[in-house]
Amino acid sequence: MPSASATPWDGAPPSSITPAQALVARAHRAALEARHAPLEGEGEFLNRYERDACPLCGLALVVRDGRDSRGVRRWRCRSCRLRFSPTTGTIFEGHRIPVSDWCEFVIQLLSCDSLQEVGRSNRRSPTTPPYWLAKLFLVLEGVQEGTVLSGRVQIDETFYPVPGAELERSARGGAKPGFSKNKLCIAAATDGAGRSAVEPAAAASRAWRGRSPPTPAT
């Protein structure tokens, strides 16, 4: 599917399109550039993140190893010989869009915007936001392992629909209604110290089994 960032008339000779088409192309491009202005000094922004350990072996035996063509600093691990940059192991690794666009995407997710709204507001193909979300989940995988909540704990839940290909259907072929397996229950918990944990309700039930019940959120 072509990118929604373009119109059919981008780059076309002026003589081959109508005045209305040219106006739409200019307005579309101006709106996109205004919303996604390039981040000035992207290399300088990334270089503010100092790497003091190797992202592969975890050892602190790292030395600076010059810069790439964009001026982004590189490091080399003296133990496993991995060469890496500030973006290695982050959502920015291998990025082809400006870092500012990635930051805006994360802000939209934290603001509870739907993936459809993210695609529309960013003028991206409908397949792009799910890819970005999958990449973000890969980076965050395991980040909350070992989190222990204590004191007054509040919990709540939300239900998220499963993908269409995984729907549990009735004998007539329709999706089963109600709170069936067609909705994934996500449990979220937080304590007074600001620690939080989010996971499927079944896993959360196993984790909390044998402990005193947390205080329900109001």
Side-chain angles (χ1 to χ4, degrees):
M1 180 177 293
S3 172
S5 300
T7 71
W9 313 293
D10 289 350
S15 59
S16 65
I17 58 178
T18 68
Q21 291 170 339
L23 176 62
V24 169
R26 288 196 304 270
H28 193 281
R29 181 56 53 186
L32 181 67
E33 292 175 352
R35 185 174 178 85
H36 301 285
L39 177 67
E40 295 293 336
E42 184 171 295
E44 180 181 353
F45 169 78
L46 295 174
N47 286 338
R48 294 179 182 177
Y49 178 36
E50 290 283 343
R51 304 301 296 258
D52 55 5
C54 175
L56 180 61
C57 68
L59 297 179
L61 302 174
V62 299
V63 294
R64 292 187 178 184
D65 192 31
R67 299 171 184 259
D68 64 16
S69 58
R70 300 170 300 162
V72 178
R73 186 179 295 123
R74 292 180 299 196
W75 285 269
R76 176 173 51 84
C77 178
R78 291 183 293 177
S79 176
C80 67
R81 301 296 179 182
L82 176 72
R83 299 180 72 191
F84 56 96
S85 73
T87 63
T88 302
T90 73
I91 58 173
F92 304 134
E93 183 174 4
H95 70 287
R96 296 184 180 181
I97 64 173
V99 168
S100 55
D101 280 21
W102 266 110
C103 293
E104 183 179 356
F105 169 65
V106 174
I107 291 173
Q108 286 180 290
L109 286 182
L110 296 178
S111 301
C112 300
D113 287 357
S114 68
L115 292 182
Q116 292 83 356
E117 172 58 26
V118 171
R120 285 193 297 267
S121 63
N122 288 276
R123 292 176 171 81
R124 301 287 179 182
S125 165
T127 60
T128 300
Y131 165 75
W132 288 351
L133 183 61
K135 187 175 182 180
L136 179 61
F137 282 164
L138 286 175
V139 171
L140 295 177
E141 185 175 3
V143 72
Q144 68 177 14
E145 290 182 1
T147 300
V148 177
L149 307 181
S150 62
R152 182 181 177 87
V153 177
Q154 294 183 318
I155 64 172
D156 204 349
E157 80 288 330
T158 186
F159 290 88
Y160 191 82
V162 301
E166 301 176 13
L167 285 176
E168 184 178 282
R169 300 185 180 278
S170 64
R172 294 186 177 183
K176 290 186 176 180
F179 294 129
S180 64
K181 293 182 180 179
N182 292 334
K183 291 186 178 180
L184 178 64
C185 182
I186 305 295
T190 184
D191 63 14
R195 293 180 292 261
S196 61
V198 179
E199 56 187 325
S205 176
R206 291 193 298 270
W208 293 326
R209 191 172 298 151
R211 305 180 186 179
S212 58
T215 303
T218 56

